[in-house]
Amino acid sequence: MWPMLSGENTTSPRTEIPLSVTALSQWEEGGFPTGQGLIVGEYKVVFDNKNDGFWTSPQYPNQTTQCGSTTNPGCPQGCLFNINSDPSEYHDLRTMQPAIFASLTARLQALSHEVFQTTYPLNFNSSKCIPQAQAVQQHHGFSAPQCIL
C-alpha cells in the first residue's frame, strides 16, 4: 500500500471497485436487487429503481439543472456505462454490450456470496439498536448487526 500512497508505484493493483453489494438472499428472491453497483476497468454496472434519477452538469449545482427531476427512471433492470468515454453516465450500454453487462452482473452476484445483509421485519423496533462503535466493541473489533430483533 505504501508504494501507491507515496507515488513510487502509480499503477493500482485494484481491478474492481464494488460500490454497493446486496446479499445473495435478495438476488434469490427474483429479479435484480436495487441499490448496488460495481466498477471493473472502464465499465460500471448499477442496479437501482428509485425513479428519481437525474443528470447533473460538470459544475453542479447551477441554474441549468433542476434537482430531483424524474425524467430518468433509474436502472431497475441494470445499466452499463463506460465511465471513461461517458463520465456523466448518459448512455446505457446494457443492450449494446450484453456480454460485458452479463460479466459484471455475474461478478456482482459472486460478490453477494461474501456479504451479510440484515433484513428487518416491517414491525421492527429501532429502540433495540446500539451505536456502531458499541457493536464493534461488543464483537471484539468486528462490525456486526447493531439491532436485536
Side-chain angles (χ1 to χ4, degrees):
M1 180 57 95
W2 180 247
M4 285 295 299
L5 295 173
S6 67
E8 180 182 325
N9 180 3
T10 59
T11 305
S12 173
R14 186 181 294 263
T15 60
E16 64 185 19
I17 303 171
L19 303 174
S20 177
V21 180
T22 304
L24 180 63
S25 61
Q26 293 186 9
W27 281 92
E28 292 171 343
E29 291 173 5
F32 299 100
T34 63
Q36 61 181 339
L38 173 69
I39 296 173
V40 177
E42 63 187 348
Y43 291 98
K44 174 181 176 183
V45 65
V46 293
F47 291 89
D48 205 350
N49 66 353
K50 293 184 179 179
N51 294 324
D52 63 354
F54 64 95
W55 290 282
T56 61
S57 64
Q59 272 104 46
Y60 179 82
N62 62 32
Q63 295 177 349
T64 64
T65 305
Q66 178 182 353
C67 182
S69 169
T70 57
T71 58
N72 176 354
C75 297
Q77 299 298 311
C79 292
L80 177 69
F81 302 104
N82 182 317
I83 57 175
N84 286 341
S85 64
D86 181 22
S88 296
E89 300 175 4
Y90 279 97
H91 307 286
D92 180 10
L93 303 175
R94 178 174 54 103
T95 58
M96 294 185 294
Q97 300 280 350
I100 294 171
F101 177 77
S103 174
L104 269 64
T105 301
R107 179 62 184 141
L108 204 49
Q109 285 178 313
L111 288 169
S112 71
H113 289 275
E114 303 171 11
V115 299
F116 172 78
Q117 181 75 40
T118 302
T119 304
Y120 296 109
L122 293 176
N123 61 353
F124 175 70
N125 181 352
S126 63
S127 67
K128 297 180 180 179
C129 296
I130 59 175
Q132 182 178 4
Q134 185 179 347
V136 170
Q137 183 180 10
Q138 286 181 358
H139 296 280
H140 309 287
F142 293 94
S143 184
Q146 297 170 236
C147 303
I148 301 169
L149 299 178

